[in-house]
Amino acid sequence: MARTNKSKPALLALLSLGPKTGYDIQRDIRRTIGHFWSESYGQIYPALRLIVEEGLATVERQPQDGKPDRKVYAITQQGHAALQAWLHAAPEPPPVRNEMLLKLFVGWQAAPDALMSHLTGLKEHFSSQLVQFGDFERFLKREMRNNPDAMYWLMTVRSGHLYVQARLQWCEEAMSLLKKSMKATKEKKLGTPARTKRMSSLMALAHEVLNPDSLPKQK
Amino acid sequence: MARTNKSKPALLALLSLGPKTGYDIQRDIRRTIGHFWSESYGQIYPALRLIVEEGLATVERQPQDGKPDRKVYAITQQGHAALQAWLHAAPEPPPVRNEMLLKLFVGWQAAPDALMSHLTGLKEHFSSQLVQFGDFERFLKREMRNNPDAMYWLMTVRSGHLYVQARLQWCEEAMSLLKKSMKATKEKKLGTPARTKRMSSLMALAHEVLNPDSLPKQK
DNA sequence: AAATGCATGTAACGCGTTACATGATTTT
DNA sequence: AAAATCATGTAACGCGTTACATGCATTT
């Protein structure tokens, strides 16, 4: 049932920082919260129309020459109220779907080198993110002296920082486990069917051993 | 363009562990990789039909009484080949969308107690997950003595473990930052419009200071 | 010369969940 | 008595991206 709207509150959040066009919103999201949020034009423009229809924002057309008119949206009192209501509602957890982990789960059926190169790619990606989060963090901490509210922004950046740190640590660990596994399997050679069968019984065993229904359904 | 199929390879991965019905697949996903993957029946049954049409699996109907026939799917040689091809392709990173962080980003517009209670809820959730990951990990480490391939499964569990640890650490940090911020704002009182305006100029400043386009587009 | 930025929007498609329909058996 | 498990599937809906259409100005 739930499946609550996410784009609308996101747009209201951005509009709560000042009047903006759809184009501005997209750019500002990318620049400020791009590490944990994104909106495409295909979401933004239709949503803005709805937001105006519901009285949560107003539009003002500003003619330009050579370009399409700017349509500047401004949040209304009702919009502020709607945003606050959303802020006070418990957040839904993000859906979980991680392709790399799925590949690893049946990883013995792949060439170890391929998995290793996937991990290397990930590691490089997270390393560069780590640097950027560090820069961002230093900037915000400096600004907090004048503007205590910068702390809210900082919290989101810290989330990203701790997240990439953990992922990076995992990449390194996984790579070293993979190396070990490569050696172990070279020694005693078993055919894929036999290995598959053993994984299959491991699954059954896991369910018996780990009490009710092992890992969490979600939440 | 890309937008590559994710359900089909997921089903093939599960079928590579042995013949299963659609129902079995759903249950096994929940039990083993539920912490990073999910499939609903609305995905599974149509996808299985396609998989059979493409020759990646075969079906066998097993009549039962009182219940619908079991339709047992078994992966074919072609299916194995398709799975391997997918395993060797670089994984796409999961889309990022975190509602809690979005709420925090404009958090000065909310009642601090509400944010605090969101964080408390998250913290409890991650704490319980942490325990379960620990159990799972101990089990898999024990099993690795007989079955070295259990290491692949372990890698996915370690990912979850490190992830929830990082989230937990973040929750605690965020809660303590929030407490500080509550004190700071009590002292010098500023109206919401003024605070909003300051955040807005902070955004502009951030973009000037942080070189080209700050945080990563994605990847 | 080509790419990027500014600026609007729509149409088509794919992804994914939820609810519904059906119904016996087993557990709480 | 109610709920969960087993077992299949479909229809409707919402979410979200990509590609397209248009076009000038600026930067590389």
Side-chain angles (χ1 to χ4, degrees):
Chain A
M1 178 151 283
R3 210 44 42 218
T4 45
N5 249 348
K6 287 162 226 169
S7 289
K8 265 196 272 180
L11 299 190
L12 286 178
L14 268 286
L15 288 179
S16 80
L17 303 172
K20 286 179 187 353
T21 67
Y23 191 87
D24 292 339
I25 290 173
Q26 217 266 356
R27 184 203 53 206
D28 288 347
I29 286 178
R30 202 178 350 103
R31 284 182 183 167
T32 58
I33 59 174
H35 57 106
F36 67 82
W37 203 269
S38 71
E39 293 289 346
S40 61
Y41 293 130
Q43 296 279 112
I44 292 173
Y45 287 114
L48 282 174
R49 192 177 57 76
L50 293 177
I51 282 174
V52 171
E53 279 174 19
E54 291 167 28
L56 307 178
T58 55
V59 212
E60 207 198 329
R61 233 194 180 91
Q62 296 179 347
Q64 300 186 120
D65 38 83
K67 296 177 194 173
D69 295 357
R70 277 171 64 84
K71 290 174 73 176
V72 181
Y73 294 83
I75 195 168
T76 61
Q77 276 302 321
Q78 274 179 71
H80 275 297
L83 178 58
Q84 279 207 6
W86 176 78
L87 286 173
H88 291 171
E92 285 179 45
V96 278
R97 230 139 184 248
N98 187 315
E99 219 179 306
M100 180 73 236
L101 294 182
L102 186 54
K103 283 176 207 261
L104 278 178
F105 181 63
V106 291
W108 73 92
Q109 298 175 58
D113 286 341
L115 297 179
M116 198 57 100
S117 101
H118 295 344
L119 287 170
T120 307
L122 274 185
K123 197 184 148 187
E124 277 161 18
H125 173 236
F126 289 128
S127 294
S128 88
Q129 279 204 112
L130 192 64
V131 175
Q132 293 175 300
F133 279 121
D135 291 347
F136 215 132
E137 221 172 286
R138 266 185 298 282
F139 165 75
L140 287 174
K141 276 183 182 149
R142 229 184 300 128
E143 292 303 318
M144 266 173 54
R145 275 172 257 166
N146 317 322
N147 184 354
D149 288 334
M151 202 178 255
Y152 287 97
W153 195 353
L154 178 65
M155 286 182 208
T156 71
V157 175
R158 284 294 299 158
S159 166
H161 195 139
L162 290 170
Y163 173 77
V164 297
Q165 267 183 356
R167 305 283 37 216
L168 217 41
Q169 195 189 334
W170 173 76
C171 281
E172 278 154 20
E173 201 185 289
M175 286 167 95
S176 98
L177 280 171
L178 194 57
K179 270 181 208 151
K180 269 189 207 161
S181 170
M182 281 160 78
K183 276 187 206 158
T185 346
K186 247 179 201 163
E187 285 158 29
K188 4 178 173 177
K189 268 196 179 163
L190 262 176
T192 313
R195 295 169 77 184
T196 302
K197 214 160 267 176
R198 292 210 301 194
M199 282 308 289
S200 206
S201 33
L202 184 58
M203 259 174 65
L205 188 59
H207 182 246
E208 279 171 36
V209 172
L210 299 166
N211 20 348
D213 228 29
S214 54
L215 284 184
K217 352 211 87 181
Q218 46 180 50
K219 200 234 146 141
Chain B
M1 178 152 283
R3 210 45 41 217
T4 46
N5 248 349
K6 286 161 227 168
S7 290
K8 266 196 268 180
L11 299 189
L12 287 177
L14 268 286
L15 288 178
S16 81
L17 303 172
K20 287 177 187 351
T21 66
Y23 190 87
D24 292 338
I25 289 173
Q26 217 267 355
R27 183 202 55 206
D28 288 347
I29 286 178
R30 201 175 354 103
R31 283 182 184 168
T32 58
I33 58 174
H35 56 107
F36 67 84
W37 203 268
S38 72
E39 293 290 346
S40 61
Y41 292 131
Q43 297 279 110
I44 292 173
Y45 288 114
L48 283 173
R49 191 176 58 76
L50 293 177
I51 282 173
V52 171
E53 278 173 19
E54 291 167 28
L56 307 178
T58 55
V59 211
E60 208 197 327
R61 236 200 176 85
Q62 296 179 347
Q64 301 186 121
D65 36 85
K67 295 177 199 174
D69 295 358
R70 275 170 66 84
K71 290 175 74 175
V72 180
Y73 294 83
I75 194 167
T76 61
Q77 277 301 321
Q78 275 179 70
H80 275 297
L83 178 59
Q84 280 205 8
W86 176 78
L87 286 173
H88 291 171
E92 286 179 46
V96 279
R97 229 138 187 247
N98 187 316
E99 222 179 304
M100 181 72 237
L101 295 183
L102 186 54
K103 283 175 208 262
L104 277 179
F105 180 62
V106 290
W108 74 91
Q109 298 174 59
D113 286 343
L115 298 179
M116 198 57 102
S117 104
H118 296 343
L119 288 170
T120 307
L122 274 184
K123 197 183 148 188
E124 277 161 17
H125 174 236
F126 289 129
S127 294
S128 89
Q129 276 203 115
L130 191 66
V131 175
Q132 292 175 301
F133 279 121
D135 291 348
F136 214 132
E137 220 171 287
R138 267 186 296 282
F139 165 75
L140 286 174
K141 276 183 182 150
R142 229 185 299 130
E143 291 304 316
M144 268 174 52
R145 276 172 258 169
N146 317 320
N147 183 356
D149 288 333
M151 202 178 255
Y152 287 97
W153 195 351
L154 178 65
M155 287 181 208
T156 71
V157 175
R158 284 293 298 158
S159 165
H161 195 139
L162 290 170
Y163 174 76
V164 297
Q165 267 182 358
R167 304 281 43 212
L168 218 41
Q169 195 189 331
W170 173 75
C171 281
E172 278 154 19
E173 201 185 290
M175 286 166 94
S176 96
L177 280 174
L178 194 55
K179 268 181 210 152
K180 270 188 207 162
S181 169
M182 281 160 77
K183 275 187 208 158
T185 345
K186 249 180 202 162
E187 286 158 28
K188 7 178 171 175
K189 268 194 178 167
L190 262 178
T192 314
R195 296 169 77 182
T196 302
K197 216 161 266 177
R198 294 210 301 193
M199 281 309 288
S200 206
S201 34
L202 184 59
M203 260 174 65
L205 188 60
H207 183 246
E208 280 172 35
V209 173
L210 299 165
N211 19 349
D213 228 28
S214 56
L215 285 183
K217 351 210 88 178
Q218 46 179 51
K219 202 231 147 144

